[in-house]
């Protein structure tokens, strides 16, 4: 079974600085999807960024970027120029091969709580 | 677009009562998912539908839980009878057929006393 591990329960960063959240996963598949979701105190799960395993280029969304290391099964999230609104729980998630109809399950990590220090 | 809509946002009930959670997916989305979030188990997929048909309900914890999707714009998750260990935040999510991105609703916080 696929597992997703986030080894940092909590992280903090000074406002305007850069922080990296780590995520590793275990899978025997070669094609899959990875996601980072943000959950602020409002509880809403918000998609931050996604990465298709077949793409070598790391995904970027404004201040958010990933470092996808397929061989190492690592998928870290870098937040640049941290802002107070970035404070939230961040969840890494894995989804299996697109070729497997019915394989819609998102497997989530346990989350990293990010605090932004003004 | 209004996003995924869930109701109620908060529900407090007593053990043994029936609880019904509601979800309206984003219009045009082919897939609908129900998740449960607890401190102990994190986020777990309970069941998902494709074109209103249940595809995988292997995550439903037991027979007390049931889910329906009578049409493309509405789904319910019912717990009968409810137990204190069912206390959690229940999320509904939907996605269009052409992408793999799931869009989540705001969740329903359920407390069973």
């Amino acid at each position: 079974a696929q597992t997703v591990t986030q080894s940092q329960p909590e992280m903090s960063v000074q406002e305007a600085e850069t922080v990296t959240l780590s995520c590793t996963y275990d899978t025997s598949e070669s094609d899959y999807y990875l996601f980072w979701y943000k959950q602020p105190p409002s509880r809403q799960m918000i998609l931050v960024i996604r990465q298709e395993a077949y793409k070598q280029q790391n995904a970027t969304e404004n201040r958010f970027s990933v470092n996808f290391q397929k061989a190492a099964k690592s998928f870290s999230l870098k937040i640049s120029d941290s802002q107070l609104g970035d404070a939230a729980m961040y969840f890494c998630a894995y989804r299996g091969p697109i070729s497997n109809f019915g394989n819609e399950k998102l497997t989530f990590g346990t989350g990293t709580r990010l605090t932004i220090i003004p | 677009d209004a996003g995924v809509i869930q109701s109620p946002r908060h529900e407090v009930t007593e053990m043994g009562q029936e609880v019904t959670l509601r979800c309206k997916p984003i219009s045009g989305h082919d897939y609908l998912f129900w998740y449960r979030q607890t401190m102990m188990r994190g986020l777990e997929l309970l069941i998902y539908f494709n074109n209103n048909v249940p595809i995988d309900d292997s995550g439903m914890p037991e027979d007390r839980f049931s889910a329906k999707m009578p049409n493309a714009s509405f789904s319910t998750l019912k717990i009968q009878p409810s137990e204190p260990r069912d206390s959690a935040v229940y999320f509904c999510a939907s996605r269009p057929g052409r992408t793999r991105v799931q869009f989540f609703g705001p969740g329903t916080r359920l407390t069973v006393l």
Side-chain angles (χ1 to χ4, degrees):
Chain A
Q2 287 78 20
T3 57
V4 177
T5 302
Q6 293 180 249
S7 59
Q8 305 154 316
E10 296 182 351
M11 292 280 287
S12 60
V13 63
Q14 291 284 144
E15 192 175 2
E17 296 297 309
T18 295
V19 64
T20 298
L21 309 182
S22 65
C23 171
T24 58
Y25 55 95
D26 184 28
T27 183
S28 59
E29 305 289 351
S30 59
D31 190 20
Y32 46 86
Y33 286 77
L34 296 165
F35 305 88
W36 279 98
Y37 279 90
K38 167 185 176 181
Q39 187 178 38
S42 67
R43 285 202 318 260
Q44 180 88 42
M45 292 287 287
I46 303 165
L47 177 70
V48 175
I49 200 166
R50 62 176 167 171
Q51 175 81 41
E52 293 89 344
Y54 65 87
K55 290 186 178 179
Q56 294 185 343
Q57 187 172 5
N58 289 325
T60 299
E61 289 286 343
N62 300 313
R63 298 182 296 108
F64 299 86
S65 61
V66 299
N67 183 4
F68 173 48
Q69 302 288 328
K70 191 172 184 179
K73 297 180 182 175
S74 171
F75 183 60
S76 61
L77 174 69
K78 186 171 82 171
I79 306 173
S80 303
D81 185 25
S82 299
Q83 300 175 1
L84 294 177
D86 295 334
M89 280 288 284
Y90 285 82
F91 292 94
C92 178
Y94 166 98
R95 186 214 180 270
I98 60 174
S99 58
N100 291 4
F101 177 75
N103 185 18
E104 288 290 334
K105 180 180 178 181
L106 276 179
T107 301
F108 287 87
T110 52
T112 296
R113 183 174 301 281
L114 178 64
T115 300
I116 311 297
I117 303 168
Chain B
D1 200 326
V4 177
I5 299 172
Q6 290 186 247
S7 64
R9 292 296 309 276
H10 304 273
E11 177 78 30
V12 180
T13 190
E14 292 188 348
M15 182 174 63
Q17 296 298 306
E18 177 180 293
V19 175
T20 299
L21 310 182
R22 298 173 176 79
C23 175
K24 176 179 169 55
I26 294 172
S27 177
H29 284 196
D30 301 331
Y31 290 82
L32 183 138
F33 306 82
W34 282 102
Y35 288 87
R36 178 172 68 175
Q37 185 179 33
T38 61
M39 288 294 293
M40 291 296 295
R41 301 174 66 89
L43 274 152
E44 304 173 280
L45 177 65
L46 300 177
I47 185 172
Y48 79 89
F49 296 81
N50 177 216
N51 292 323
N52 313 338
V53 176
I55 302 299
D56 184 355
D57 65 354
S58 60
M60 295 286 261
E62 47 197 280
D63 292 344
R64 298 185 296 107
F65 286 70
S66 63
K68 294 182 179 179
M69 191 165 186
N71 58 62
S73 59
F74 184 66
S75 177
T76 60
L77 178 67
K78 185 175 294 186
I79 309 172
Q80 166 63 20
S82 57
E83 296 182 4
R85 60 194 169 119
D86 302 331
S87 297
V89 179
Y90 290 82
F91 287 99
C92 177
S94 69
R95 78 161 180 87
R98 65 186 181 281
T99 79
R100 305 299 165 183
V101 178
Q102 296 181 20
F103 296 86
F104 284 75
T108 295
R109 180 178 292 279
L110 172 65
T111 302
V112 182
L113 303 174

